Amino acid sequence: QVQLVESGGGLVQAGGSLRLSCAASGRTSIGFAMGWFRQAPGKEREFVSTISWNGGFSYYADSVRGRFTISRDNAKNTVYLQMNGLKPEDTAIYYCAAGQPRVTMRSYDYWGQGTQVTVSS
């Protein structure tokens, strides 16, 4: 089992920045790709970004490419999502997940509980 705990969410004005963290414990997350997904009120959970186990591959949803950056520190068993240029439409609960470097939810075996990001206009 891998336990994932997200942190770093909060309230920010449009144009601002936040950095989300996802700390893994239990069975090491090394060897797993890590992903970020988000779910806005009344909408389905959607893919945001993914990074391979060694950080050599990353991929972003079109809606965040160029504004968000995913990274990981395997020594700390932590993955990050740096979010710049935030927009009100980025408001959602953000979830991290461990699995395969894909855009589909079913590719991930472990999920965190989520952290709320709210962007005011």
Side-chain angles (χ1 to χ4, degrees), residues 31-110:
F32 287 102
M34 299 296 292
W36 286 97
F37 288 74
R38 66 186 182 186
Q39 187 166 18
K43 295 188 177 181
E44 293 186 352
R45 194 171 300 189
E46 65 176 6
F47 169 79
V48 175
S49 182
T50 189
I51 188 168
S52 60
W53 71 272
N54 64 355
F57 168 79
S58 61
Y59 186 75
Y60 299 89
D62 289 344
S63 58
V64 306
R65 187 175 291 116
R67 299 188 297 124
F68 291 9
T69 302
I70 192 170
S71 62
R72 66 189 297 166
D73 183 341
N74 286 341
K76 297 181 178 179
N77 284 332
T78 301
V79 63
Y80 305 97
L81 187 68
Q82 178 67 43
M83 306 186 296
N84 299 329
L86 283 162
K87 305 175 181 179
E89 51 263 45
D90 294 318
T91 294
I93 299 173
Y94 283 71
Y95 299 89
C96 72
Q100 297 299 313
R102 303 287 186 268
V103 302
T104 55
M105 290 178 56
R106 64 177 179 269
S107 298
Y108 297 84
D109 301 308
Y110 305 99

Side-chain angles (χ1 to χ4, degrees), residues 6-19:
E6 303 95 335
S7 61
L11 174 63
V12 64
Q13 290 187 331
S17 298
L18 283 174
R19 189 177 80 155

